Amino acid sequence: MTTEVADSRLAAYPALAAYLRQTEGPDVPPMPEVPPRVAGRVRGRPRAAATPVPPIRITPTALRTGTLAGALAVTALWAVQAEPSARLDVLFATGAHLTGVLAGYGILVMLFLMARVPALEHGVGADRLARLHALGGRYVLTLCLAHALLALCGYAAHADTDLLSATLDLLGYPGLALAAAGTSLLVAVGVTSARAMRRRVPHETWRAVHLLTYLGAALAFVHQLAGPDVAGSILTVWVWSMLHATVAVLLVWYRVVVPVRQALKHSLRVIDVRDEGPGVVSVVMQGIGLDELRAEPGQFFRWRFLRRRLWRTALPFSLSAPVRDDTLRITVKAIGDHTRRMRRLKPGTRVLATGPFGALTAHRRTRRKVLLLAGGVGITPMRALFETLPGGPGDITLLYRAGSSEQLVLREELEGIARSRGAGLHYLLGRSDASFDPLAPQALRNLIPDLAEHDVYLCGPPGMTASATTALVRAGVPEERIHAECFTF
């Protein structure tokens, strides 16, 4: 393979390219040439495949830095307007102003995290964004309640009255009554999102309640425009309004306009449903111009099948094979009502697919050698990566954890890929107990002696993912080289 071809192929993987430049020398074998997939034919001749342009990605560090910078700016806005005083009512009011502006900013950040902006989804990862959203939501709800309580105490101290009378007085103001209603909506969303409650609430009900967040945020925004911290300056009002307008546009564009446009443009339909094992099926869909989606192996879509009892819910499933000939494939295990109904999908069923999402892709790779570690149906993104990650014989290894051989999914495909690529493939079978743990640090080192020199891609059930991450770190793999996603949103 020529140097020019190698450089163009590795341009999409900057971290790997940097590592290879550092280790370049006579002992480092060249990257094997992977033939590009033929994009189409014109008058019987193959069309030249264009070098893919890497998508824009916002890294977790950039997201964290930007979020903290915004919080500091909001705090500075409060600080320049604060009036130092030892009076009790002023102290309460000052605290109410600070918690209020931080709560308003926090709501804006929470909406941005869930706007499904591709640069954020591909750089940070949908699972990490969901966890940040859940964690941030707790802080925002705490700030909202603290703001309400401090404002109430400040008014009671100023009017020299009790809290009940102060509450009734404040609710007499329309603007404050709307703010209280918005806070109540956010509390309702927080309660239904609590882990103990989420398990008992149907997904459709939880989603419907969660939509109240938008109404609560709108009421909070109206309240903020009337408050002294924002309304005190025309410039502040303009900046605050533009920030909210930008997030609103992103939400409408990526959660409504883009999915509808994709559905109309690509006309995706089911063409086959295949049994892959006990309770597991693969759904193959075909559309028009699916290359334009730029879906990468390891990513997932949110799928909505337009048939009775399925169309109301969009669920995340990873691609279990690379995009080929305008077809997409997912492999699904029946673990609930919706996944069980997917076995009865008929060819011709219309499909709405939103995405692609996820950051479990080749761009995270930094080392020549890669370990793919899958548990259960988490094999689906690993299977796509197993086929497509660049590497020579011995560079790519797949460990597949399952309770028994009957639970192995896509086994023939995996073994075919391993033979054709000279890749390693190991099945880790059996139930874990005190005497048997195939994912223990020493067991992993026995299978892969140079494990510490690998990047690790990990996907499986939450418990398995957590224990495997701990074992990998104890086995010598730096945590920053363990790339995992978990789809328990």
Side-chain angles (χ1 to χ4, degrees):
M1 180 173 62
T2 65
T3 302
E4 291 79 10
V5 173
D7 289 343
S8 67
R9 257 187 43 234
L10 291 175
Y13 315 120
L16 176 60
Y19 169 72
L20 291 177
R21 284 195 296 270
Q22 294 172 3
T23 57
E24 187 176 8
D27 296 330
V28 179
M31 293 290 290
E33 184 169 358
V34 178
R37 185 169 60 85
V38 177
R41 294 181 180 275
V42 179
R43 297 181 181 178
R45 295 182 180 181
R47 186 193 308 167
T51 302
V53 179
I56 298 174
R57 293 183 170 95
I58 298 175
T59 65
T61 300
L63 174 64
R64 181 169 54 251
T65 302
T67 302
L68 291 176
L72 290 175
V74 169
T75 304
L77 171 66
W78 163 82
V80 297
Q81 300 182 77
E83 298 179 0
S85 174
R87 285 173 48 190
L88 184 61
D89 59 337
V90 175
L91 290 176
F92 278 129
T94 301
H97 291 164
L98 176 59
T99 53
V101 293
L102 287 176
Y105 172 73
I107 292 172
L108 200 61
V109 172
M110 295 302 100
L111 293 176
F112 175 67
L113 292 181
M114 290 292 101
R116 297 179 184 172
V117 178
L120 203 59
E121 295 275 349
H122 299 168
V124 179
D127 67 322
R128 184 181 294 181
L129 287 174
R131 291 195 298 270
L132 290 174
H133 178 77
L135 178 62
R138 299 187 188 102
Y139 286 112
V140 169
L141 193 56
T142 301
L143 287 169
C144 288
L145 295 175
H147 169 69
L149 181 59
L150 288 170
L152 183 61
C153 291
Y155 180 83
H158 180 75
D160 193 20
T161 185
D162 58 273
L163 291 179
L164 179 59
S165 298
T167 301
L168 295 176
D169 288 345
L170 290 176
L171 291 178
Y173 295 95
L176 295 179
L178 289 176
T183 301
S184 299
L185 292 176
L186 295 177
V187 170
V189 172
V191 170
T192 56
S193 298
R195 185 173 301 176
M197 183 64 69
R198 179 76 184 274
R199 295 170 182 165
R200 304 177 183 179
V201 177
H203 180 78
E204 291 81 2
T205 303
W206 172 84
R207 185 173 180 80
V209 173
H210 218 69
L211 291 175
L212 295 175
T213 302
Y214 300 118
L215 179 56
L219 294 174
F221 173 63
V222 173
H223 174 63
Q224 292 156 26
L225 289 183
D229 298 294
V230 175
S233 165
I234 294 178
L235 177 61
T236 305
V237 171
W238 185 85
V239 171
W240 201 250
S241 299
M242 288 302 298
L243 287 173
H244 281 75
T246 300
V247 172
V249 169
L250 291 174
L251 282 165
V252 172
W253 181 257
Y254 287 114
R255 295 188 73 111
V256 179
V257 176
V258 169
V260 171
R261 187 179 64 176
Q262 285 183 348
L264 295 175
K265 183 176 183 178
H266 299 295
S267 189
L268 200 62
R269 296 180 184 273
V270 174
I271 61 172
D272 193 15
V273 179
R274 308 168 185 167
D275 284 323
E276 301 287 2
V280 180
V281 296
S282 284
V283 180
V284 183
M285 293 150 284
Q286 190 171 47
I288 301 170
L290 297 186
D291 280 344
E292 298 176 18
L293 295 173
R294 299 172 68 185
E296 301 177 65
Q299 291 187 314
F300 69 96
F301 287 75
R302 289 179 171 90
W303 309 88
R304 192 184 299 270
F305 297 92
L306 302 187
R307 60 159 289 170
R308 190 171 65 90
R309 305 180 74 182
L310 276 176
W311 68 270
R312 292 187 299 171
T313 302
L315 295 176
F317 297 116
S318 298
L319 297 174
S320 60
V323 180
R324 289 195 187 91
D325 302 322
D326 279 335
T327 63
L328 302 175
R329 190 186 75 177
I330 58 175
T331 302
V332 181
K333 183 177 182 179
I335 56 176
D337 292 339
H338 290 86
T339 48
R340 281 192 289 269
R341 290 174 187 135
M342 291 178 65
R343 300 176 62 92
R344 298 191 291 273
L345 286 171
K346 302 296 183 184
T349 300
R350 190 72 180 265
V351 184
L352 301 183
T354 307
F357 302 112
L360 196 68
T361 59
H363 89 277
R364 287 189 172 185
R365 183 179 182 182
T366 62
R367 319 297 279 190
R368 178 180 297 279
K369 292 191 174 183
V370 176
L371 170 64
L372 306 174
L373 179 53
V377 79
I379 189 62
T380 53
M382 297 294 104
R383 182 256 178 256
L385 289 167
F386 193 43
E387 178 181 350
T388 58
L389 280 177
D395 286 345
I396 312 295
T397 303
L398 171 63
L399 301 184
Y400 187 0
R401 179 77 176 95
S404 64
S405 58
E406 290 76 17
Q407 297 176 8
L408 296 175
V409 180
L410 307 173
R411 182 172 184 172
E412 292 184 5
E413 294 183 16
L414 296 173
E415 293 174 355
I417 294 170
R419 285 194 299 270
S420 65
R421 303 197 61 189
L425 174 62
H426 303 277
Y427 301 127
L428 309 179
L429 306 178
R431 296 187 177 277
S432 296
D433 55 34
S435 61
F436 174 75
D437 183 5
L439 297 180
Q442 188 57 51
L444 292 172
R445 283 194 295 262
N446 290 340
L447 280 173
I448 309 172
D450 58 346
L451 177 60
E453 300 302 319
H454 284 63
D455 266 310
V456 180
Y457 287 71
L458 174 61
C459 188
M464 175 262 185
T465 301
S467 61
T469 299
T470 302
L472 288 165
V473 171
R474 291 175 57 192
V477 181
E479 193 166 358
E480 62 271 15
R481 285 201 264 116
I482 302 174
H483 318 299
E485 282 193 340
C486 179
F487 303 116
T488 54
F489 295 176

